[in-house]
Amino acid sequence: MDTKTDNAFNLLSPSIITKLKEINITQPTKVQDKVIPLINEGKSIVFESETGTGKTYAYLLPLINNLEKEDDKTKVKILIAAPTFELASQINASAKLITQRKTALFIGGSPLKRQIETLKEKPEIVIGNPARLVELIRLKKLKVQDVNTIVFDECDRLIKKELIDDTRILKELVNKDCRIIALSATITKQVKDFFKDAETVIMPKEDILTKNITHWAFYAERRDKIETLRKILNAENYTKVLVFTSRIDQVSNIYTKLRYKNIDCMTLTAKADKKDRKAAIDRFRSGKTKILITSDLCTRGLDIPNISHIIQMDLPSDEDFFIHRSGRTGRAGQKGINIVIGDEYEMNQFAALEKKIGITVYPKEIYNGKIQAPKIYE
């Protein structure tokens, strides 16, 4: 393989390059090529790149590369804040794949005493949700005086109403000269204002929503949506299917009705026990369960390979949610199908969204157990 002189991986140590090859990563993505050198130079940045473009390793690789040059292995140097248990766990797992330096995961809802014991093992990279990180710092158990970088992953979500207070406190608790890295698929003016001292990097659109993902629309009245979902699942050949609904109460309803029809599936909700959530993701990731039913807040930033289909049981009012949902498929250059099951109002909204974000939506229906274009579509 020829190595380009402008390949950002050239900045990484041979040991990290070897570990990347072990997980079949040999070339940087566009965002990694852009961001790795900037972080390597010590800059504070806020960067935007579409979902599925490799943002996690864009910051983890240079941070860990620099961390491994340090001899002191006893202090926390890198702090990473994430909005959900799933994303934080995923970041932790990604870090462990490329370094033997100690990491620690701290999430609210887990026993505080056990997490304090974990800190005695002297991790250098600490990952968690803002509320729990703030709690540990205030208890003087998590010492941040040596933290040189704080990362805000899915930063647009971290500064939404329910999380912004803890995020702001966390930002204030670290050293004033601590380098800041923030990232998301959608950088808003609010994000830029919140991280006003950081350089903003907006990656050109790679049009993943149009190039890698095919969009289908199925019309169904609300009472018929789950039956339409069942018919789609019976008609399609799929690897893994992620089913989204905006209504938390609908997650269990969809699950119950699919299971009644002997369709194997699992659920993932923010209210579920942490062990149950991890078990659901592990089974889905491994392919033991091929259908996972969830809500929007659980899957922000969740990167599970080989999701062939996204099925949206409603059209979210927030355009960003639609983008994040759709972007769970068609990742890492693969192809995927994004399906919206909607009533008349939602179909009109979908048509407007189609024009706004530049995608092409193909109306579909099920006839004799097969998916086809409608005979009449007005």
Side-chain angles (χ1 to χ4, degrees):
M1 182 188 72
D2 292 328
T3 303
K4 297 179 181 178
T5 55
D6 59 350
N7 185 324
F9 283 3
N10 291 338
L11 298 170
L12 306 176
S13 69
S15 64
I16 290 180
I17 295 294
T18 299
K19 289 182 182 299
L20 287 173
K21 287 179 180 177
E22 288 172 359
I23 55 175
N24 299 316
I25 297 176
T26 57
Q27 287 284 353
T29 64
K30 291 179 181 178
V31 68
Q32 290 164 3
D33 248 338
K34 178 71 174 179
V35 167
I36 288 173
L38 296 175
I39 294 177
N40 200 55
E41 292 170 14
K43 291 185 176 181
S44 286
I45 62 169
V46 177
F47 68 95
E48 174 186 286
S49 185
E50 288 176 280
T51 184
T53 53
K55 292 188 292 296
T56 302
Y57 275 141
Y59 69 80
L60 275 182
L61 289 172
L63 291 180
I64 288 172
N65 188 66
N66 290 333
L67 179 68
E68 290 187 345
K69 295 175 183 176
E70 298 184 18
D71 294 328
D72 187 352
K73 300 180 182 180
T74 64
K75 298 180 177 68
V76 177
K77 312 282 180 37
I78 300 167
L79 207 57
I80 303 174
T84 65
F85 163 76
E86 287 74 23
L87 178 55
S89 299
Q90 185 175 287
I91 296 166
N92 188 44
S94 296
K96 286 181 178 296
L97 287 174
I98 56 170
T99 187
Q100 292 185 328
R101 295 293 181 107
K102 287 183 180 177
T103 70
L105 180 64
F106 299 130
I107 299 293
S110 298
L112 187 61
K113 185 177 180 181
R114 189 180 304 164
Q115 293 182 354
I116 291 171
E117 288 298 312
T118 300
L119 282 168
K120 293 179 182 178
E121 297 173 10
K122 303 189 182 305
E124 294 180 81
I125 303 170
V126 166
I127 306 150
N129 64 297
R132 179 49 59 94
L133 294 177
V134 167
E135 184 178 12
L136 287 166
I137 294 169
R138 284 179 163 168
L139 288 171
K140 301 190 185 314
K141 301 299 182 182
L142 172 56
K143 303 192 184 334
V144 293
Q145 63 266 27
D146 293 291
V147 170
N148 57 51
T149 303
I150 182 167
V151 179
F152 297 90
D153 201 323
E154 295 287 354
C155 57
D156 60 325
R157 178 85 179 86
L158 286 171
I159 63 168
K160 288 283 176 68
K161 184 179 179 181
E162 64 272 23
L163 295 174
I164 190 169
D165 289 342
D166 288 317
T167 301
R168 181 178 288 111
I169 293 168
L170 181 64
K171 185 167 172 277
E172 291 170 353
L173 284 173
V174 296
N175 298 325
K176 297 301 179 204
D177 58 350
C178 183
R179 184 247 301 265
I180 288 174
I181 296 169
L183 60 138
S184 181
T186 45
I187 299 297
T188 61
K189 183 180 182 299
Q190 186 186 12
V191 169
K192 291 179 182 178
D193 290 343
F194 192 86
F195 301 104
K196 61 181 182 296
D197 295 328
E199 177 182 333
T200 301
V201 176
I202 306 294
M203 294 299 296
K205 297 295 183 186
E206 296 183 37
D207 296 327
I208 289 172
L209 284 183
T210 57
K211 291 180 180 177
N212 294 357
I213 302 172
T214 302
H215 302 271
W216 291 353
F218 283 81
Y219 169 79
E221 294 294 342
R222 179 171 291 185
R223 64 180 177 275
D224 299 322
K225 284 189 176 188
I226 298 177
E227 178 61 14
T228 300
L229 169 65
R230 184 192 67 79
K231 289 179 179 179
I232 292 171
L233 293 172
N234 285 339
E236 271 292 275
N237 290 320
Y238 53 82
T239 308
K240 293 175 189 169
V241 182
L242 196 53
V243 180
F244 281 101
T245 174
S246 298
R247 295 171 53 196
I248 303 299
D249 62 315
Q250 277 295 94
V251 173
S252 60
N253 189 31
I254 295 166
Y255 170 80
T256 301
K257 291 185 177 179
L258 290 184
R259 291 292 297 166
Y260 181 74
K261 296 291 185 177
N262 296 316
I263 295 175
D264 184 36
C265 56
M266 294 190 75
T267 64
L268 177 68
T269 64
K271 292 182 179 179
D273 178 83
K274 189 180 76 170
K275 289 183 179 179
D276 291 339
R277 289 160 67 180
K278 184 178 185 303
I281 289 176
D282 288 346
R283 284 187 63 84
F284 188 57
R285 190 184 297 277
S286 68
K288 291 178 181 177
T289 295
K290 295 184 177 181
I291 302 168
L292 185 64
I293 307 156
T294 188
S295 58
D296 292 295
L297 299 184
C298 272
T299 51
R300 291 282 293 215
L302 194 62
D303 186 7
I304 293 177
N306 304 319
I307 295 178
S308 58
H309 293 67
I310 300 297
I311 302 181
Q312 307 192 37
M313 300 298 289
D314 46 46
L315 195 67
S317 56
D318 190 323
E319 178 185 317
D320 290 344
F321 278 153
F322 175 84
I323 293 170
H324 280 282
R325 285 178 174 187
S326 306
R328 299 307 102 198
T329 189
R331 300 174 79 84
Q334 294 185 334
K335 303 294 183 181
I337 295 173
N338 171 53
I339 298 170
V340 173
I341 303 174
D343 58 21
E344 184 176 357
Y345 174 77
E346 287 167 320
M347 289 294 101
N348 289 332
Q349 294 295 103
F350 199 12
L353 185 61
E354 175 185 18
K355 294 177 182 177
K356 184 176 180 182
I357 64 177
I359 60 175
T360 300
V361 176
Y362 298 93
K364 297 288 182 180
E365 67 179 11
I366 299 175
Y367 184 73
N368 286 338
K370 295 183 179 179
I371 294 174
Q372 62 179 30
K375 294 178 180 177
I376 299 175
Y377 183 74
E378 300 177 347

